[in-house]
Amino acid sequence: MAKKPEHRPIHRTDLLPSNMTAGKEAAVREMLAAYRTGAVMLGREQWRLFFETGRFNKNFDKDKKTYAAVIGAANRVQMCRYQVVGALQSWVSNRSNEFRETVVRSSLPPETKHMLHVVNKAGACFSKDDVFMPKSGEVIPDDLRRLARSIMRHVMAKHRRPNLSRISMRLDRRAGAISRPAAADQNGRVGWWVRLSTMEKGRKIDAPLLTYDFHEKRPGRVTDGIQINLDRDGRLTFGVVTDMGEACAASRDAYDGNGEIALDFGLSTLFATSEGQLLGQGWLKELRRYDERITKIARGMQRRGLKPRQSRRYKNAVTALRGFLRTEIGRVFNKLVEQGQPKELVLERLDFRNPTLSRRLNRILQNAGRSIIHAKLQDLEERLGITSTEVNPAYTSQTCSCCGYLDKKNRRDQKTFRCLWCGHVMHADLNAARNIGERRALAIGSGFHGKAAVLAELVRQFGERRVYSTRSGGRGSTVDPLSTNPYFKGKVERGSDVAKARPSQNLVAA
Ligand SMILES: [Zn+2]
C-alpha cells in the first residue's frame, strides 16, 4: 500500500467567538486569569535561569505544587511553561538578530566580530560554558564573552520584554478538547464544541464556538487543542488551529516558478525589482498620513498627562497602520509573484527607519514592518515554495549595475543613477535592485560581512573586469573619476589593471 507523503505542519489560527452562558464564561475567565498569573511567575523563573545558565528550560519543574495551586492543574502548568518558554525564546531570537546587525555595523576588528558572531550563534551570551571557535577549536576568551554579554544587554534593554500577563491560554486536548457538533446544532452556526477544564477540580464545561465562512472554507485539518484569549474589547475569543501542511504542499506542486527577482526596499517606492517594476509607489505618502494622525492623538494624550496607549483612539490608529502595512505589503508581494512567477526572492536586510517620519512612527514601523514582511515571505515559501535570501545592501545604491563602478557621485539625485565610468543612466531604485540580485551570486553580501568587507570586494572586482574597452555607450565623465574617488584611494595606481581597463574616450564615443 502506498504510504501517504509526510507534510511539515503549517498552522493558521482562526479566532471564533462563543455564545456560552454567563456561568460558563465566568469559569473560563477565572481559568484564563489564573493561567496568566502563573505565566508571569513562570516567566520570572525562566528569566532567572536564562541569566544564570544562558538558557531557558521548558522542562525545569521545581515548585510543582505552588504552580499547580495557582494555575489549577499540573498538566496546565506544563502547557503554560512550554508556552512561556516559546514566547521568551522567540523574543531572544529577535534580539540575537539585532546583536548580529549591531556587530556587523560596528567598527570592531574582523577577528573580534567573528568571535562575537560565534558566541551569538551559539546562544551563549549568558552561558558560563566555554565556547570554541569552529575551525581552530580555540576557546573564546573572557573579555570577548564579557563584550558579547554587554552588547546583548544593550540590545535587550531597547525592547520591552514579552508581557506574559496578557498571554493567551494554549490548551492541548487534555484541558481543551475540540469536536464537531451534530449537524443540526443551533442552525449550523456552531462550528465546534470545546470541552474545557475549569479551576474546580474535575469540573468540565462545554463551550459552543460560532463559526464563520472563512474558517469553514480554510483548507487543511483542524488540530487538537484550543487557544483562549481576550480581544481588544475584553471579549473572550477561541483560537482554532488548522494545519494547512497538506493543502500547501498541493499548491506548491501547482506553482511553476522560475528564476529570481531581487528587490530594493525604498522610501518613496516600497519595492523596486530587478525586472524593472516599481511596486507600492506612494506608500510613504500614506505612511505620513498615519504618522500625522497617530502623532496628533499621542500629543493630545500627553498634554492631558496620559500615556497614548491608554487611548482607544490611539490603539485603533496603530492597529489601522498595521493593517495598512499588512495589506500593502501583501498586495505588492502578490503582484510580484503573479507577474514574475519567481522561484526565489533576493532582498536586502530591511531597515524601516525613515528620517522624514516621526520617531514614534519609526518605532512602530521597526517593530511591525519587518515581522509583517517576514510573515509574508514565510507564507510565500509555505504556499508556493518561493525561497528568499537576504543580502547586505551596502553600496548597492552607489554601484553601477552595468559596469560595477562604485562612486558616491554616481547618484545624480534621489531618482536618477548616472555612472561616471560608463555613462549608464537608470532609475536609481531599479539600479539598486539589480545590484541586490547580483550580490546574491557573489561571495560577499551574506550577513557576516561588514560594510568594509563589501567595499573591498567591490573595488577588487571592479579592478578585475577588463570588458570596458569593448563596451559601447556614452562616456561617464571627461575627467578620470578614479582620481577623486575616495573608495579607490591607495588601491589603484596609474598603470594598474583598473586604470588600464578604463576605455579611452575615443573608443567609448564610437
Ligand atoms: Zn557603469
Side-chain angles (χ1 to χ4, degrees), residues 167-461:
I167 203 168
S168 72
M169 177 162 62
R170 290 197 193 155
L171 303 174
D172 66 25
R173 68 205 306 182
R174 288 172 293 173
I178 184 166
S179 62
R180 276 291 190 194
D185 211 339
Q186 300 209 9
N187 304 320
R189 280 185 68 221
V190 174
W192 301 95
W193 281 98
V194 188
R195 174 153 291 189
L196 292 167
S197 302
T198 62
M199 293 300 284
E200 209 178 303
K201 204 173 174 198
R203 182 188 166 211
K204 299 231 177 194
I205 54 170
D206 289 312
L209 304 188
L210 305 180
T211 190
Y212 286 124
D213 225 26
F214 69 77
H215 174 66
E216 293 300 318
K217 283 188 181 144
R218 185 184 284 293
R221 186 184 56 80
V222 169
T223 62
D224 289 328
I226 190 90
Q227 302 179 3
I228 300 175
N229 210 345
L230 298 177
D231 70 9
R232 287 189 309 147
D233 299 316
R235 284 182 300 237
L236 279 172
T237 61
F238 295 81
V240 175
V241 183
T242 303
D243 176 7
M244 298 177 62
E246 206 167 323
C248 285
S251 65
R252 280 199 302 274
D253 284 345
Y255 178 76
D256 185 22
N258 272 302
E260 60 175 61
I261 296 183
L263 305 175
D264 173 62
F265 172 75
L267 300 182
S268 52
T269 304
L270 181 50
F271 283 118
T273 77
S274 52
E275 306 291 288
Q277 296 153 296
L278 294 166
L279 300 168
Q281 298 191 59
W283 85 301
L284 186 61
K285 219 192 261 170
E286 202 61 34
L287 285 179
R288 284 221 185 85
R289 224 168 286 155
Y290 282 101
D291 196 6
E292 271 166 33
R293 188 170 150 67
I294 288 170
T295 306
K296 201 173 141 204
I297 302 172
R299 283 218 191 99
M301 290 296 283
Q302 278 158 346
R303 263 200 302 274
R304 286 156 57 201
L306 298 168
K307 284 194 175 139
R309 260 177 298 140
Q310 289 171 284
S311 150
R312 169 66 48 86
R313 276 179 66 225
Y314 178 82
K315 280 200 254 180
N316 286 346
V318 172
T319 306
L321 168 62
R322 281 174 201 266
F324 164 71
L325 288 174
R326 198 169 295 121
T327 311
E328 184 65 5
I329 288 168
R331 187 185 69 78
V332 160
F333 274 106
N334 290 342
K335 197 165 170 191
L336 187 84
V337 167
E338 194 185 305
Q339 293 180 347
Q341 302 253 319
K343 199 164 175 41
E344 186 183 355
L345 296 173
V346 185
L347 296 90
E348 53 190 307
R349 221 174 303 125
L350 303 175
D351 188 353
F352 276 85
R353 267 172 297 199
N354 183 327
T356 70
L357 297 170
S358 73
R359 271 177 64 188
R360 180 179 297 278
L361 206 83
N362 270 308
R363 201 173 55 229
I364 300 170
L365 278 180
Q366 282 286 35
N367 290 337
R370 243 190 250 213
S371 64
I372 290 171
I373 289 205
H374 282 146
K376 186 63 195 174
L377 291 175
Q378 194 188 345
D379 173 63
L380 290 177
E381 179 159 11
E382 287 169 350
R383 282 192 303 110
L384 305 172
I386 301 172
T387 55
S388 52
T389 313
E390 284 189 7
V391 298
N392 189 330
Y395 304 103
T396 46
S397 63
Q398 301 175 13
T399 305
C400 174
S401 61
C402 246
C403 72
Y405 177 64
L406 71 155
D407 195 321
K408 256 185 201 150
K409 292 184 247 165
N410 269 350
R411 193 123 185 204
R412 183 180 260 176
D413 55 48
Q414 189 63 38
K415 277 232 163 97
T416 319
F417 181 93
R418 180 170 168 275
C419 178
L420 289 174
W421 188 270
C422 73
H424 177 66
V425 177
M426 200 176 175
H427 189 292
D429 295 339
L430 297 177
N431 177 67
R434 273 209 205 167
N435 285 328
I436 287 167
E438 289 281 308
R439 195 152 288 186
R440 185 192 151 279
L442 298 179
I444 52 169
S446 83
F448 289 92
H449 285 93
K451 240 182 135 175
V454 171
L455 176 62
E457 183 61 15
L458 289 173
V459 165
R460 192 188 68 76
Q461 290 188 352

Side-chain angles (χ1 to χ4, degrees), residues 34-74:
Y35 191 88
R36 287 174 163 180
T37 307
V40 170
M41 292 169 64
L42 289 165
R44 262 186 233 126
E45 181 177 79
Q46 290 292 332
W47 277 121
R48 202 166 49 236
L49 280 175
F50 179 79
F51 287 114
E52 280 170 16
T53 68
R55 291 191 189 288
F56 302 114
N57 180 358
K58 65 180 179 185
N59 295 316
F60 187 83
D61 198 10
K62 255 172 105 183
D63 301 325
K64 255 185 213 170
K65 282 192 181 146
T66 316
Y67 289 114
V70 172
I71 296 179

